[in-house]
Amino acid sequence: MTVVHLCCCGCGNKVVTPLSPTDWSLTFDGASISLSPSIGNWSYPCRSHYWIRGDTAQWAERWTSRQIEAARTRTGQCGQRQPEPRRRSLAARFRQRVRQWLRQ
């Protein structure tokens, strides 16, 4: 699943954030949305960096090119997409969710 929003700096670029345990997580508290961790738009000219917390952009410090490259190296995003992990079938995911629900 992914979330798409317009860059909070106002440049008009669409920002795509993949939701997964290793990427971003979305929280909806019934009234507002938060995304975690921060969003760094390093590939856009604006190079904006912010969190979305409670439907509000909270700005982070600007990162240098060196900081961006270090973060990309750490997370395996060195200009090449990592291969997508093989996804389980819809039926397998459904069975897992039913088992989790029954354990509650």
Side-chain angles (χ1 to χ4, degrees):
M1 184 183 305
T2 59
V3 173
V4 179
H5 68 278
L6 293 178
C7 183
C8 291
C9 80
C11 69
N13 285 309
K14 288 183 182 176
V15 179
V16 178
T17 51
L19 302 177
S20 78
T22 58
D23 291 311
W24 285 270
S25 63
L26 178 128
T27 305
F28 177 64
D29 65 7
S32 64
I33 291 176
S34 298
L35 281 174
S36 182
S38 66
I39 298 162
N41 296 318
W42 316 133
S43 299
Y44 296 139
C46 67
R47 293 172 64 159
S48 60
H49 184 201
Y50 52 86
W51 287 269
I52 297 178
R53 294 182 177 150
D55 286 344
T56 303
Q58 294 180 346
W59 294 96
E61 66 183 51
R62 285 206 175 265
W63 282 15
T64 65
S65 295
R66 181 180 238 165
Q67 288 172 306
I68 293 167
E69 288 310 311
R72 285 179 171 164
T73 299
R74 230 180 7 260
T75 60
Q77 298 174 359
C78 300
Q80 298 178 353
R81 282 282 294 157
Q82 297 297 309
E84 287 284 323
R86 192 165 167 230
R87 296 181 185 259
R88 290 178 294 155
S89 71
L90 181 59
R93 290 187 307 222
F94 177 76
R95 284 191 300 271
Q96 180 185 15
R97 287 186 181 180
V98 167
R99 282 193 293 268
Q100 288 172 341
W101 178 75
L102 290 172
R103 282 189 228 134
Q104 294 180 354

